[in-house]
DNA sequence: GTCTATATTCTGATAGAC
DNA sequence: GTCTATCAGAATATAGAC
């Protein structure tokens, strides 16, 4: 890339295009986002988009890649931490995700939609990237179960994952629906999410005993 | 509509188009679905689509309307039931949704995406349609809390709704992700969902005691 | 009602001046 | 690097024969 020297600099034309693209792609998806909309949002000319990124598809790939990376950023490192216990890691995971999604509420729905429509090689590759950390974490879980550090009975792993992710991420996915139903504004929604940081781990513990 | 006499008849051209449209719109959304794909899927000519439905947008509106209706079908009636207690209703609600989504796994993501992009008048109207039943149900909840039928302490309504919907619906939203992560097939996924019918109410009960 | 052919608009991408 | 003008193809919609 010819302009790599300016990478990250805000205000750069390249950067403006990427920001506009991220906003629209993340909000509306690939097909519903028109290149003209991106150019408009970025306040630049349509031709510049192709000058910098060659095609809509390549631009989307970059955005998707960065979105995915952000979505798993820090998580792999966190999982690989040798010192932290499983329950400590779970608490931190939930907290990190809630903070991230408070900043970027559209991320989960974008990831879900993109995974559904493009199980492309890159996505699979990204998946592999976090795979090692996940394997490590899962082994740690099994170890702690064996050693009795995690109290029995233990929830089926499928349900545990589904519940943890569901309780943490779903409110952001259904955000407009929940906000309308509860008749609350952005600030109140975020306050509820902050509450959930401490509630979800406790809830998950309480659910463990159910058979 | 000129062809209303054949309404509901399967095999009708109109019906074939609608079925194809429902499948594609629900799977891929409005923008990513091409009218040619619909015609193709329905095994008819492109021109017929416009003959029956005038435009892609009108066709989409019909599909969206029916999808939304299906999504809330039976629920209003269930909520308005005078005899059933709150906890009985919750159990039934969860069970109904899991059965419905097992048949139509793409429904939630479609609804969520559509609500995000088109908070149109029709959607608001639909929302109002279920509003009365919801109000009735919420009053019943308050009554049962007062009378002590629902044991204290009680979870904040926002969290309760978020948890109930999240635990029930989210697995279907994240279905591909969960299936890959747990390395299971469709049949196993559905079996897990059946399990959740009885687990979720118990989980929700156990969570009630957390402060 | 159904089809083929065609009109019309939209959209992604490029050429070429500055 | 940035813009205007324009092209080529895709996508929606319609005309008109049968």
């Amino acid at each position: 890339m010819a302009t790599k020297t300016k990478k990250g600099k805000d205000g750069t034309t390249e950067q403006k295009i990427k920001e506009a693209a991220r906003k629209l792609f993340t909000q509306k998806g690939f097909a519903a986002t028109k290149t003209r909309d991106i150019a408009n949002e970025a306040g630049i000319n349509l031709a510049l988009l192709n000058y910098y990124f060659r095609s809509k598809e390549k631009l989307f790939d970059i955005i998707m890649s960065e979105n995915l990376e952000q979505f798993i950023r820090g998580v792999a490192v966190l999982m690989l931490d040798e010192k932290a216990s499983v329950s400590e890691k779970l608490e931190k995971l939930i907290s990190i995700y809630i903070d991230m999604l408070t900043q970027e509420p559209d991320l989960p729905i974008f990831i879900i939609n993109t995974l559904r429509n493009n199980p492309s090689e890159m996505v699979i590759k990204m998946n592999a990237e976090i795979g090692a950390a996940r394997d490590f974490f899962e082994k740690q879980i099994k170890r702690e179960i064996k050693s009795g550090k995690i109290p029995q009975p233990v929830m089926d792993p499928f349900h545990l994952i589904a519940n943890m992710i569901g309780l943490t991420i779903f409110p952001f996915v259904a955000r407009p629906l929940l906000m309308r139903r509860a008749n609350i504004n952005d600030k109140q929604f975020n306050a509820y999410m902050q509450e959930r940081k401490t509630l979800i781990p406790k809830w998950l513990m309480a659910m463990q005993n159910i058979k």
Side-chain angles (χ1 to χ4, degrees), chain A:
Chain A
M1 201 180 294
T3 54
K4 209 158 195 177
T5 47
K6 293 185 180 178
K7 178 185 157 194
K9 272 253 173 92
D10 204 71
T12 296
T13 297
E14 190 183 347
Q15 204 58 25
K16 278 194 290 187
I17 296 173
K18 267 178 63 174
E19 278 321 306
R22 178 184 328 285
K23 179 180 167 186
L24 295 178
F25 278 142
T26 306
Q27 236 170 53
K28 319 200 301 174
F30 179 78
T33 300
K34 309 304 173 190
T35 51
R36 280 171 174 77
D37 299 339
I38 298 175
N40 233 3
E41 175 80 23
I44 53 94
N45 190 276
L46 173 59
L48 281 179
L49 192 150
N50 292 80
Y51 173 76
Y52 279 105
F53 299 97
R54 266 196 62 81
S55 79
K56 179 188 177 186
E57 233 152 10
K58 289 212 192 333
L59 177 55
F60 180 79
D61 280 349
I62 290 171
I63 300 300
M64 177 180 69
S65 173
E66 290 186 2
N67 272 356
L68 248 176
E69 200 199 337
Q70 178 180 6
F71 198 66
I72 63 180
R73 177 181 304 157
V75 172
V77 180
L78 184 61
M79 283 190 189
L80 288 168
D81 184 352
E82 294 277 357
K83 292 181 215 160
S85 71
V86 168
S87 73
E88 284 166 353
K89 284 182 185 177
L90 284 184
E91 274 182 49
K92 273 190 191 166
L93 268 176
I94 290 162
S95 177
I96 284 178
Y97 269 111
I98 286 180
D99 283 341
M100 178 199 307
L101 298 182
T102 300
Q103 298 301 314
E104 305 277 356
D106 290 328
L107 223 45
I109 195 86
F110 172 85
I111 304 268
I112 286 165
N113 280 328
T114 303
L115 277 176
R116 258 171 41 120
N117 300 330
N118 311 22
S120 65
E121 296 150 35
M122 181 174 42
V123 174
I124 291 167
K125 186 180 146 202
M126 284 277 177
N127 218 333
E129 203 171 303
I130 206 180
R134 210 180 61 213
D135 289 349
F136 178 88
F137 189 44
E138 277 167 10
K139 274 176 194 159
Q140 185 185 10
I141 292 176
K142 282 179 188 159
R143 239 184 299 128
E144 289 198 12
I145 289 175
K146 255 193 180 163
S147 75
K149 190 168 181 180
I150 294 179
Q152 302 284 354
V154 177
M155 196 183 294
D156 181 291
F158 175 89
H159 289 309
L160 178 61
I161 296 279
N163 294 346
M164 192 180 102
I165 309 187
L167 291 173
T168 306
I169 294 182
F170 182 76
F172 292 97
V173 174
R175 198 179 128 117
L177 215 142
L178 287 172
M179 283 177 61
R180 200 181 308 160
R181 175 162 291 198
N183 195 29
I184 58 174
N185 58 31
D186 280 9
K187 205 176 160 184
Q188 293 170 301
F189 180 85
N190 289 340
Y192 272 122
M193 291 308 115
Q194 289 301 316
E195 268 185 47
R196 290 176 81 84
K197 277 194 201 174
T198 54
L199 283 171
I200 292 173
K202 291 181 195 164
W203 283 334
L204 287 174
M205 281 299 165
M207 293 160 83
Q208 288 287 349
N209 302 313
I210 305 305
K211 196 64 201 158

